[in-house]
Amino acid sequence: MLGQVLLLWVACAAAGSGSSPREAFVARCSGPALPPLSAGQRAGGLRCGAARHRSVSARRRHAGVAMAAKPVIVVGSVNADIVLDIPRLPLAGETLMGGGGVVLPGGKGANQAVAAGKLGGQVKFVGVFGNDVHAPMLKDTMAEAGVDTALSLSSSGPSGQAMILLQPSGENSIILVPGANHDWPEKGLPEAVTTAISGAGCVMLQREIPDRINVLVAKAAHQHGVPVLLDLGGDDSPLPETLLSELDYLCPNETELQRVSGLPTSTFPEIQVAARSLQDRGVRNVLVTIGDQGSLLFSGTEKPVLRQSVFPVTQVVDTTGAGDCFRGAFALDLSQGNTPEHALRLGAAASSLCVQVKGAMISMPTMGQVQPLLEAPEPPSPQ
């Protein structure tokens, strides 16, 4: 069962001063293998408490370690989210009375950019905005979060839209209408975008824009040694094999992992086999989110698995942007030179605040809101 996963920490090697962003990024998931576990450790699991987490952070602050100034570049979707409150999902042929109907800014790419921006990151967003009443609202909201949209494009058609069916439990179902998110130029990436990618700290992608754009961006980043993270959410068509070898991190939830691997993902052993199968196909690291069970990070095939528990919340209001919040925080933290353990914990803390607010983009927390959670004792592991 997932609750029986051993919680393991890996020693993360610091990259040399002459290494590329990709080498430094990947090096933080490298390190010597841990010694074999005793029978008692295998039975009870290993856990590293918040005291160590705080001491590492304190030493870093005391030493005055400078954070990387290179920006996080997010290439992806931006949508107008139309949120409908429903008592439950309708049956075939059934009409349900709903509520809400409010229009909020969203889109996986824009959400992740705002998540990183509100946490204090330097973020540039590359997407396609529509020519309608939604576009100014979307741009203004991102600008307020500190996200630079100057590299983005415009379409003569409508903005992307998402119909979000929100149940009382906070669970959601989404109908996606791509709109302008599919109106990318046929001739390739604009020169200004490829230039920006070459100087990035990392690049984030999702599957709400055409795969051909993701492939072009990933190849451009790989060429310049810039690490690439792909959120598997969005289009459920088969993932291009040419893209897998360009990825430093592939980030699915357990359902998406099952779909892309073709393997079951109901238990931890099944998730591990499915994640390792993607690494056999060229992906370097696989970060799996498993809802209220937290997340699992599979690095090298010979390295132990890292697990991060969720932070407890009193009431879940809306889970729509939780995954985007988690991944945006994770990518930002790694790009700033922190360890995967630290990045996982930041992502978990940020997303725990996100689910307590209705809406996706507007629910992303600031670092000032997240910091008290990071300084509190680490949440217990699910049993």
Side-chain angles (χ1 to χ4, degrees), residues 130 168 209 327 350:
I209 63 174
R327 295 178 183 100

Side-chain angles (χ1 to χ4, degrees), residues 260-299:
V260 73
S261 67
L263 298 170
T265 57
S266 298
T267 65
F268 169 70
E270 290 178 345
I271 289 176
Q272 184 170 30
V273 170
R276 296 304 191 194
S277 74
L278 296 178
Q279 291 178 307
D280 292 340
R281 290 162 61 184
V283 178
R284 293 166 185 79
N285 304 278
V286 181
L287 174 57
V288 186
T289 50
I290 47 178
D292 61 6
Q293 296 294 302
S295 59
L296 298 164
L297 176 58
F298 300 86
S299 294

Side-chain angles (χ1 to χ4, degrees), residues 147-292:
V147 177
D148 182 353
T149 62
L151 292 171
S152 291
L153 310 174
S154 295
S155 167
S156 60
S159 299
Q161 298 179 48
M163 303 293 294
I164 300 174
L165 309 180
L166 183 61
Q167 300 180 60
S169 65
E171 291 298 317
N172 66 80
S173 301
I174 301 174
I175 302 171
L176 189 64
V177 182
N181 293 309
H182 279 193
D183 290 345
W184 288 79
E186 292 293 334
K187 60 183 180 181
L189 298 175
E191 183 177 353
V193 173
T194 56
T195 299
I197 290 171
S198 69
C202 73
V203 170
M204 299 190 71
L205 302 170
Q206 317 80 37
R207 298 201 71 201
E208 291 184 347
I209 63 174
D211 278 334
R212 64 181 179 84
I213 300 300
N214 281 336
V215 171
L216 289 173
V217 171
K219 287 184 178 296
H222 199 171
Q223 179 181 355
H224 293 283
V226 176
V228 181
L229 297 87
L230 173 68
D231 180 345
L232 203 52
D235 187 2
D236 62 359
S237 63
L239 192 66
E241 290 294 322
T242 55
L243 184 57
L244 290 174
S245 61
E246 310 288 351
L247 302 178
D248 294 279
Y249 283 84
L250 180 62
C251 307
N253 60 31
E254 70 270 38
T255 302
E256 294 160 350
L257 177 62
Q258 178 180 10
R259 185 172 67 238
V260 73
S261 67
L263 298 170
T265 57
S266 298
T267 65
F268 169 70
E270 290 178 345
I271 289 176
Q272 184 170 30
V273 170
R276 296 304 191 194
S277 74
L278 296 178
Q279 291 178 307
D280 292 340
R281 290 162 61 184
V283 178
R284 293 166 185 79
N285 304 278
V286 181
L287 174 57
V288 186
T289 50
I290 47 178
D292 61 6

Side-chain angles (χ1 to χ4, degrees), residues 33-126:
L34 294 180
L37 303 181
S38 68
Q41 289 170 330
R42 287 193 296 270
L46 294 180
R47 191 162 179 270
C48 187
R52 178 178 175 183
H53 173 89
R54 289 195 300 271
S55 66
V56 170
S57 300
R59 287 198 301 270
R60 183 169 286 155
R61 288 194 298 269
H62 180 73
V65 176
M67 293 302 180
K70 292 186 177 181
V72 173
I73 293 186
V74 183
V75 182
S77 60
V78 55
N79 295 327
D81 289 350
I82 304 171
V83 183
L84 303 177
D85 295 314
I86 59 173
R88 56 177 173 79
L89 292 176
L91 302 174
E94 181 184 22
T95 299
L96 284 181
M97 291 297 293
V102 63
V103 179
L104 300 172
K108 293 191 73 65
N111 289 343
Q112 291 172 15
V114 167
K118 291 188 72 172
L119 290 172
Q122 181 187 354
V123 184
K124 296 183 179 182
F125 175 74
V126 185

